[in-house]
């Protein structure tokens, strides 16, 4: 997913855990923004890459914890 996001040039993050990422607030802010104002879901390509790096590290830690490897 990280490679696909980078290849596509993704700059936004969306989650299915809206209670943890302020998505409701961001959706209202996006709807109420004026012309030229940044979309609150747009965090930039670097932040998207960092997100996937953290997800990878967490998955690796969970695997090590579960298997000892």
């Amino acid at each position: 997913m990280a490679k696909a996001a980078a290849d596509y040039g993704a700059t936004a993050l969306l989650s299915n855990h809206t209670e943890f990422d302020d998505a409701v607030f961001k959706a209202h802010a996006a709807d109420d923004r004026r012309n030229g104002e940044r979309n609150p879901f747009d965090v930039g390509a670097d932040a998207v890459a960092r997100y996937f790096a953290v997800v990878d590290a967490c998955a690796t830690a969970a695997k090590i914890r579960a298997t000892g490897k």
Side-chain angles (χ1 to χ4, degrees), residues 6-65:
D7 289 349
Y8 183 76
T11 62
L13 289 170
L14 300 175
S15 171
N16 62 337
H17 300 287
T18 57
E19 67 274 17
F20 299 121
D21 69 356
D22 294 326
V24 172
F25 169 77
K26 290 177 184 176
H28 287 289
D31 188 44
D32 293 338
R33 66 192 162 111
R34 293 187 174 106
N35 286 339
E37 286 184 327
R38 182 171 94 36
N39 187 310
F41 289 100
D42 188 344
V43 296
D46 289 339
V48 172
R50 287 192 308 272
Y51 169 83
F52 282 111
V54 170
V55 168
D56 184 55
C58 290
T60 300
K63 178 183 175 188
I64 291 168
R65 187 174 51 245

